[in-house]
Amino acid sequence: MKAARAKTPRRPAPKKPSNPSLKDPVGVYCRVRPLSRPDQECCIEVINETTVQIHPPDGYRVFRNGEYRETQYSFKEVFGTLVIQKELFDVVAKPLVEDLIRGKNGLLFTYGVTGSGKTHTMTGSPGDGGLLPRCLDMIFNSIGPFQAKRFVFKLDEKNGVDVQCEVDALLERQKRDAMPVPKTPSGKRQIDPEFADMINVQDHCKVEEVDEDNVYSVFVSYIEIYNNYIYDLLEEAPFDPIKPKPPQSKILREDQNHNMYVTGCTEVEVKSTEEAFEVFWRGQKKRRIANTQLNRESSRSHSVFIIKLAQAPLDADGDNVLQEKEQITLSQLSLVDLAGSERTNRTKAEGNRLREAGNINQSLMTLRTCIEVLRENQMYGTNKMVPYRDSKLTHLFKNYFDGEGKVRMIVCVNPKAEDYEESLQVMRFAEMTQEVEVARPVDKPLCGLTPGRRFRNQAFREELSRKLEIRGGPINGETEEQSVSEMLLQSFPPLPSCELLDVNDDQTLPKLIEVLEKRHRLRQMLSEEFAKNVLTFKTMLQEFDSSVVSKENYIQGKLSEKEKIIAGQKMELERLEKKTKTLEYKIEILEKTATIYEEDKRNLQQELESKSQKLQRQASDKRRLEARLQGMVAETTMKWEKECERRVAAKQLEMQNKLWVKDEKLKQLKAIVTEPKNEKPERPSRERDREKPVQRSVSPSPVPNAPPVRLRHRRSRSAGERWVDHKPPSNLPTETVMQPHVPHAITVAAASEKALAKCDKYMLTHQELASDGEIETKLIKGDVFKTRGGGQAVQFTEIETLKQESPTGRKRRSSPSNPNPPEDAADAEWTDVETRCSVAVEMRAGSTLGPGYQHHAQPKRRKP
């Protein structure tokens, strides 16, 4: 048979708050320090008791979408530059001290940029003590007469406390007194004048309602967090001048109640304000400070001063401490002075100072991240892990935010304009911190003993001492018995002298016998009376016993009835508790279900919003694409319609010209065929052509001394537009009758972007040698348009050709047989096709530019 496998012990569940429904927000207060110089520019203004306004200084400009504008921030209370330390203490720290004495935990920390007055607020200055000495003074003013002797309470190494009897405590005190150097400062020594003014508080503030049946002891410890390491400022390291040892860092651990504590930390029991502040000042001298550009004494570490208050009730007699560990209450108040956040470009830090600033800013950033995650978990019901372990600062105070206690923060700000950006970040963090809630601590349970035990014991002792003074001696059982015997002896007759002086003395013995007999009779009488009294007393005792028995029976009956009623009530309570637990479980399930549904609802809403936005974007893209396509279709349709119309018109004109040419050739052939051989050819009739509104050019008459032809410039089709006339320097003048002429044109020898930017048409004149040896001039035309890159581009659309030909025809025919031809015969002389072709200039079919020009149309290309 196999041995049973040992199970790993189960870790106790984290302690849940006793009242999870009762939560209080973190109390955030703002304190504005006065300016160091009256002529400094101020960027923070106190609006009222709860609001401050921060505005950009004059040197800043509004940018980043209006980020630098006047902004108001609200706090629980705002303290201006004229506030005194007592007023700040009464509002912020006094409730925490009251909770400490009532057995509740508290955390108070100061936050702000470097040089904003955090250390002054916490520690104070000579003649004006801060929050820390005032808290100590209030504690000892309240529990002063009820303090236990030293070492009655003894802290263990696991963040707990034990109670010792008077003998053990006395031995501990004797051992301490025998040491050559006392561990703790003596309260009877003279106060150090360096801090005497700080603790000389004249207010005598105290808690009104203190449990007078308890005894109290105060323990203090002082640590610092430097470069994310914890050091004990009260640790007494042995001094070695040859090889000094650096201080050892401490470790954080968790106790059985899931509270964080520093292992091996020195905790000193103090009995007065002076003694406690002397311990603090001893650690303050070891704290790391440095001189920077912004602060002469800049704190380079986070300091934590922890005040622990142990209290336990007195026993039933009100004389000694109750020796039960379960009845001990240990409360804690942590006063934290955070190092200020700083920008290295302003402090000019380098080396160790730069490393310290980086660790300070990193720990403060971790604190901010923890607050953000806590706020998100509480507001939206999420369960994100809070990164407490990323920094020793947040890990130490984890139990305050996850457990019970009261947390308060004082935001210290410097109103000078140079700290504007840092103050803005501090305000945002403070505003976010106010939204985090912490479970409200519960009151400690009652011990069940009769209240007022201490004062009754004191009254009894006073009455006893008074009686002793009246009687003139101690009063106890032996003296009372002696006095009773003396009274009995005094009631007996005195014995006569028993000295026999003579042998014949017969009087002394008879007298002695008589006295002894009297005494014997008196004794018998007293014995009988005593027996009677004893019998009477026995009878009374029996009667009393019978009455006590009857009363006991009666009381037992009543008690049995009450016990039955109590049992019934207990059963009812158990039933109701079970019902309550069942309902709580159902409520918890419903809350979880509701949380899941809400999360699903939020996710679905987000998904719906994202999809609706996506659909809207797709619809807008579709509409934009449709409009673009419609524009492209309309533009393409218009272009092709114009191109088709132009092509149709060109084709129609070309066909008409071909028909006309064929018609002319047919007429000429007909005339050639039908004319007689000995007669001149007759010129075909042109009546039909003359009837047309637009007459074509005819061959010139070969009449000598014809009038000179007027030089006429040909006008371009695009004369109404701005042209760039590009004529290379290599071109030769043709000296033809008809020359291309474009008005309002910019004539250039080389194409330039400047000229193209001013025009929307382009014409290049190009010359080349034709096959017949004549010069052929081509006019290459195009449209100018702007490119996306901001330049100019030319798209060529058509080419016009100008060609010059030499007339090489036959001469006129003459008829010698008919010296006087008729007038119509003279006209017929020029009907010869060959003659007409030798005189006239040919016009190509499809051209609308007149004789001598050829037109080759090319369709426009689409834009790339």
Side-chain angles (χ1 to χ4, degrees):
M1 184 176 179
K2 292 184 179 181
R5 187 176 179 181
K7 293 184 178 180
T8 304
R10 186 177 181 182
R11 187 178 182 182
K15 183 181 69 174
K16 294 185 178 180
S18 304
N19 47 353
S21 60
L22 299 177
K23 291 187 176 182
D24 294 323
V26 176
V28 181
Y29 302 84
C30 179
R31 186 179 192 183
V32 183
R33 68 161 290 176
L35 293 170
S36 56
R37 299 194 313 272
D39 58 342
Q40 275 187 316
E41 184 182 0
C42 179
C43 66
I44 296 178
E45 180 184 358
V46 178
I47 302 299
N48 52 39
E49 294 181 355
T50 59
T51 309
V52 295
Q53 178 174 288
I54 181 169
H55 55 82
D58 296 337
Y60 284 78
R61 293 187 177 273
V62 178
F63 63 97
R64 296 184 188 173
N65 298 325
E67 181 181 353
Y68 293 111
R69 61 180 185 275
E70 293 183 355
T71 312
Q72 292 187 358
Y73 296 93
S74 298
F75 300 92
K76 195 167 185 179
E77 191 162 342
V78 176
F79 302 94
T81 57
L82 302 178
V83 71
I84 59 176
Q85 297 276 38
K86 181 184 182 305
E87 183 179 350
L88 182 68
F89 169 77
D90 290 341
V91 176
V92 181
K94 186 176 179 180
L96 295 178
V97 177
E98 293 175 350
D99 286 348
L100 176 72
I101 294 177
R102 294 189 181 100
K104 303 174 185 178
N105 297 335
L107 170 64
L108 172 63
F109 61 96
T110 55
Y111 181 84
V113 301
T114 181
S116 58
K118 301 182 296 300
T119 304
H120 171 75
T121 300
M122 186 61 69
T123 308
S125 58
D128 190 15
L131 299 180
L132 191 147
R134 292 177 183 272
C135 288
L136 292 173
D137 188 68
M138 182 176 178
I139 290 172
F140 287 106
N141 287 341
S142 303
I143 67 169
F146 312 122
Q147 289 192 75
K149 295 180 181 180
R150 288 187 189 273
F151 303 109
V152 171
F153 292 99
K154 188 176 182 180
L155 299 179
D156 57 18
E157 296 180 355
K158 297 181 180 179
N159 204 31
V161 62
D162 293 323
V163 60
Q164 297 187 123
C165 63
E166 288 291 339
V167 177
D168 294 337
L170 180 60
L171 291 175
E172 291 277 353
R173 288 195 294 272
Q174 291 176 353
K175 188 187 299 183
R176 169 182 171 273
D177 294 337
M179 294 178 66
V181 180
K183 284 280 184 181
T184 58
S186 175
K188 298 180 181 179
R189 289 190 301 177
Q190 187 178 1
I191 303 174
D192 191 345
E194 189 176 2
F195 60 85
D197 292 340
M198 293 187 184
I199 60 174
N200 188 15
V201 182
Q202 303 295 333
D203 301 332
H204 299 291
C205 184
K206 60 183 296 186
V207 179
E208 296 299 331
E209 297 179 0
V210 180
D211 192 351
E212 298 165 346
D213 294 323
N214 285 1
V215 290
Y216 303 86
S217 285
V218 178
F219 299 86
V220 295
S221 58
Y222 197 19
I223 62 172
E224 72 170 351
I225 302 174
Y226 176 73
N227 287 341
N228 208 26
Y229 289 98
I230 299 177
Y231 297 98
D232 184 5
L233 294 176
L234 302 180
E235 187 175 19
E236 295 290 344
F239 179 69
D240 189 355
I242 300 174
K243 191 178 179 181
K245 293 183 180 180
Q248 296 295 320
S249 62
K250 303 298 180 181
I251 302 174
L252 278 178
R253 289 194 178 165
E254 194 176 31
D255 64 6
Q256 60 181 358
N257 295 323
H258 302 281
N259 295 324
M260 304 307 300
Y261 69 98
V262 181
T263 57
C265 178
T266 305
E267 293 177 310
V268 182
E269 185 176 6
V270 291
K271 295 298 178 183
S272 65
T273 305
E274 294 80 7
E275 185 180 353
F277 200 80
E278 188 173 350
V279 172
F280 165 76
W281 198 254
R282 190 178 71 199
Q284 186 74 359
K285 291 180 180 179
K286 297 181 182 179
R287 190 182 175 190
R288 292 171 173 87
I289 60 174
N291 185 10
T292 64
Q293 292 286 336
L294 300 182
N295 192 356
R296 186 170 57 86
E297 294 182 355
S298 175
S299 301
R300 312 311 295 168
S301 63
H302 309 299
S303 68
V304 184
F305 188 74
I306 302 173
I307 304 172
K308 290 185 177 180
L309 181 66
Q311 52 182 307
L314 293 171
D315 57 9
D317 295 333
D319 209 3
N320 298 315
V321 184
L322 194 64
Q323 300 291 317
E324 293 181 10
K325 189 173 181 179
E326 294 78 12
Q327 295 294 335
I328 303 174
T329 303
L330 185 65
S331 54
Q332 176 175 311
L333 174 61
S334 299
L335 303 176
V336 186
D337 181 14
L338 295 177
S341 59
E342 58 186 42
R343 292 191 176 184
T344 54
N345 58 351
R346 293 187 60 204
T347 58
K348 308 299 181 186
E350 57 185 13
N352 289 335
R353 301 289 87 79
L354 182 62
R355 182 185 173 208
E356 292 165 358
N359 284 291
I360 290 170
N361 293 336
Q362 180 63 35
S363 60
L364 294 177
M365 183 60 68
T366 305
L367 174 63
R368 180 168 186 163
T369 303
C370 293
I371 294 294
E372 287 178 352
V373 176
L374 276 171
R375 170 178 168 270
E376 184 178 352
N377 288 343
Q378 292 177 2
M379 293 185 67
Y380 303 109
T382 58
N383 195 18
K384 292 184 178 180
M385 187 185 71
V386 185
Y388 291 117
R389 293 180 178 268
D390 291 354
S391 172
K392 292 290 194 302
L393 177 66
T394 53
H395 196 194
L396 178 61
F397 300 118
K398 166 181 172 290
N399 52 286
Y400 283 100
F401 294 101
D402 283 350
E404 299 175 354
K406 186 176 289 186
V407 181
R408 294 198 169 182
M409 179 175 73
I410 301 176
V411 177
C412 299
V413 292
N414 194 337
K416 65 179 182 180
E418 290 81 358
D419 288 349
Y420 168 73
E421 293 185 0
E422 290 87 344
S423 299
L424 201 63
Q425 299 298 326
V426 168
M427 293 291 185
R428 290 173 180 170
F429 171 68
E431 191 175 43
M432 177 183 60
T433 306
Q434 293 182 104
E435 299 177 359
V436 176
E437 294 182 342
V438 181
R440 184 183 302 174
V442 296
D443 296 328
K444 62 180 181 180
L446 298 175
C447 64
L449 296 175
T450 307
R453 303 182 298 280
R454 182 191 294 271
F455 283 117
R456 282 202 302 272
N457 189 21
Q458 290 180 358
F460 172 74
R461 289 176 180 275
E462 290 174 359
E463 183 66 21
L464 183 61
S465 62
R466 188 181 63 82
K467 286 185 177 182
L468 285 173
E469 290 178 358
I470 294 174
R471 299 292 296 269
I475 300 176
N476 48 35
E478 294 179 359
T479 57
E480 288 179 0
E481 289 180 1
Q482 289 176 0
S483 62
V484 171
S485 62
E486 288 176 357
M487 291 174 62
L488 288 174
L489 289 174
Q490 289 176 2
S491 63
F492 288 151
L495 292 174
S497 177
C498 298
E499 184 179 2
L500 295 176
L501 299 176
D502 189 6
V503 178
N504 298 320
D505 188 4
D506 54 355
Q507 293 181 359
T508 303
L509 290 177
K511 288 181 179 180
L512 180 60
I513 292 169
E514 183 180 1
V515 170
L516 290 175
E517 287 178 353
K518 286 182 179 180
R519 286 196 170 196
H520 180 67
R521 286 194 299 270
L522 185 59
R523 182 178 179 183
Q524 286 181 349
M525 290 174 59
L526 289 174
S527 298
E528 291 175 0
E529 187 176 358
F530 179 75
K532 289 180 181 178
N533 291 334
V534 167
L535 183 61
T536 306
F537 183 71
K538 284 183 179 180
T539 306
M540 292 174 62
L541 281 177
Q542 290 175 357
E543 292 176 357
F544 180 75
D545 286 339
S546 61
S547 64
V548 166
V549 169
S550 62
K551 287 181 179 180
E552 283 181 354
N553 294 332
Y554 176 76
I555 290 172
Q556 288 293 335
K558 291 289 184 181
L559 283 176
S560 61
E561 293 177 0
K562 296 293 183 182
E563 285 177 355
K564 290 180 181 178
I565 296 173
I566 290 171
Q569 291 177 350
K570 283 183 178 180
M571 293 176 61
E572 183 68 17
L573 283 175
E574 289 177 357
R575 187 183 66 81
L576 292 176
E577 285 178 356
K578 289 181 181 179
K579 187 175 180 181
T580 304
K581 288 181 180 179
T582 305
L583 293 175
E584 286 178 352
Y585 179 70
K586 289 182 179 179
I587 290 171
E588 187 176 356
I589 293 175
L590 291 175
E591 286 178 351
K592 290 182 179 178
T593 308
T595 304
I596 295 171
Y597 286 158
E598 288 177 357
E599 185 68 24
D600 294 341
K601 180 181 177 182
R602 282 196 297 271
N603 294 333
L604 291 174
Q605 285 179 349
Q606 292 177 358
E607 186 178 357
L608 180 63
E609 290 177 358
S610 62
K611 289 190 175 181
S612 62
Q613 291 176 0
K614 186 176 180 181
L615 288 174
Q616 290 177 1
R617 287 196 300 271
Q618 290 178 353
S620 62
D621 293 342
K622 183 179 178 182
R623 288 194 297 269
R624 189 164 55 252
L625 185 61
E626 287 178 353
R628 185 178 176 184
L629 289 175
Q630 288 176 0
M632 292 175 64
V633 167
E635 184 180 358
T636 308
T637 304
M638 189 180 298
K639 284 184 180 179
W640 279 107
E641 286 179 355
K642 289 183 179 180
E643 183 66 22
C644 290
E645 290 175 358
R646 189 183 64 77
R647 289 186 182 182
V648 168
K651 202 68 177 176
Q652 288 178 353
L653 187 58
E654 183 182 357
M655 299 304 296
Q656 288 176 3
N657 290 334
K658 285 183 178 180
L659 287 174
W660 179 78
V661 170
K662 286 182 180 181
D663 195 14
E664 288 290 327
K665 288 183 178 180
L666 286 174
K667 286 180 183 179
Q668 292 175 4
L669 290 173
K670 185 178 180 182
I672 292 170
V673 172
T674 57
E675 76 174 329
K677 293 181 179 180
N678 54 357
E679 294 181 359
K680 294 181 180 180
E682 295 181 359
R683 189 174 180 177
S685 176
R686 302 293 298 273
E687 294 297 331
R688 186 179 62 183
D689 295 335
R690 290 172 186 165
E691 294 176 356
K692 292 182 180 180
V694 180
Q695 295 184 358
R696 298 183 182 274
S697 61
V698 296
S699 300
S701 174
V703 181
N705 300 326
V709 180
R710 183 183 176 184
L711 186 62
R712 184 167 61 88
H713 294 281
R714 175 178 169 270
R715 185 175 178 84
S716 174
R717 291 182 300 168
S718 304
E721 298 171 338
R722 189 81 170 176
W723 285 78
V724 175
D725 191 0
H726 183 188
K727 292 182 178 180
S730 61
N731 286 358
L732 299 175
T734 57
E735 297 181 357
T736 57
V737 175
M738 295 185 181
Q739 295 286 336
H741 174 68
V742 181
H744 307 294
I746 300 175
T747 304
V748 295
S752 63
E753 186 178 355
K754 183 177 180 181
L756 291 174
K758 297 180 180 179
C759 304
D760 51 3
K761 294 289 185 178
Y762 173 81
M763 182 175 71
L764 171 65
T765 304
H766 174 66
Q767 290 183 345
E768 61 183 7
L769 195 63
S771 61
D772 54 358
E774 298 293 337
I775 295 176
E776 184 177 86
T777 304
K778 291 185 178 181
L779 304 178
I780 304 172
K781 300 180 182 180
D783 295 333
V784 180
F785 60 91
K786 293 183 179 180
T787 62
R788 293 181 180 177
Q792 308 293 329
V794 177
Q795 180 179 0
F796 295 106
T797 57
E798 57 185 357
I799 301 175
E800 293 184 7
T801 305
L802 281 69
K803 190 174 182 183
Q804 183 178 359
E805 296 179 358
S806 298
T808 55
R810 64 184 65 163
K811 294 182 181 179
R812 292 183 298 172
R813 294 181 183 179
S814 60
S815 178
S817 60
N818 192 3
N820 297 317
E823 187 178 355
D824 57 343
D827 295 334
E829 291 178 356
W830 303 97
T831 60
D832 182 15
V833 175
E834 224 175 298
T835 304
R836 294 178 71 249
C837 290
S838 64
V839 174
V841 181
E842 182 181 0
M843 182 185 73
R844 296 295 177 89
S847 176
T848 60
L849 303 177
Y853 288 79
Q854 291 182 354
H855 174 246
H856 302 285
Q858 295 182 358
K860 289 185 180 180
R861 290 179 294 175
R862 184 179 299 172
K863 291 183 181 180

